[in-house]
Amino acid sequence: KQWYQRRVRGCSVSGGARVRTFDGRSYQFQGSCSYIFSTDCRDYDYFVYGETGQCDKGSPSDCILSVTLFKGIDSVTFKRGWAIVSNNQVYYLAPNQKKLFGSITVYRTDYHIYMNHKFLDVFIRFDGLAQFEILRTPNEVSRHCGLCGTPNSNVKDDFFCFGTLQ
């Protein structure tokens, strides 16, 4: 299987902010803001930020506006409408096209766009419009925290982050 086809558990975020954590706990919140959906809570060496906001002018609904992976000096942002932003440049990939941005590989299929950093066993899948997932490979060690929770099969600690209850 390709790297974007392997996974164990994922956190999904759809609409404005309907979240299903790594452990399967679901919740929803409203608000236009940037959020840390996942980070390595031991080394803090990567971050997955999501930005939510008004879908369209005059719309009462919030949507996912973008999702960004930061790892070291590398960062890639997916925006609604299949846009990929890196180093203030906007790119669009055709289906089945792959592009490398520093150490982050981006690959597009017909229905999704994926990104993965070569030193992470975590990758992101985005549908180009309304949903993204943070997916873990079988080799990944559970040190995550953020709005996606902690992937340890314990839903009771999904809102513990940085040592406190959130």
Side-chain angles (χ1 to χ4, degrees), residues 65-81:
L65 301 177
S66 67
V67 58
T68 303
L69 171 63
F70 292 96
K71 169 83 168 127
I73 62 169
D74 298 320
S75 72
V76 171
T77 299
F78 290 160
K79 291 187 170 254
R80 286 172 52 102

Side-chain angles (χ1 to χ4, degrees), residues 108-126:
R108 176 160 175 206
T109 66
D110 287 334
Y111 304 106
H112 294 98
I113 192 163
Y114 298 83
M115 72 171 115
N116 172 258
H117 191 281
K118 72 178 185 178
F119 296 118
L120 286 177
D121 285 326
V122 172
F123 56 98
I124 297 165
R125 176 171 64 190
F126 183 51

Side-chain angles (χ1 to χ4, degrees), residues 13-18 63-65 80-81 126-132:
V13 182
S14 60
R18 287 185 293 280
C63 292
I64 296 164
L65 301 177
R80 286 172 52 102
F126 183 51
D127 71 358
L129 186 64
Q131 181 181 28
F132 74 88

Side-chain angles (χ1 to χ4, degrees), residues 13 16-19 27-33 35 37 52 62 147:
V13 182
R18 287 185 293 280
V19 178
Y27 67 95
Q28 183 173 347
F29 63 94
Q30 292 293 101
S32 297
C33 198
Y35 302 97
F37 282 94
T52 61
D62 286 338
L147 293 179

Side-chain angles (χ1 to χ4, degrees), residues 54-62:
Q54 191 175 31
C55 297
D56 299 303
K57 263 193 182 306
S59 171
S61 301
D62 286 338

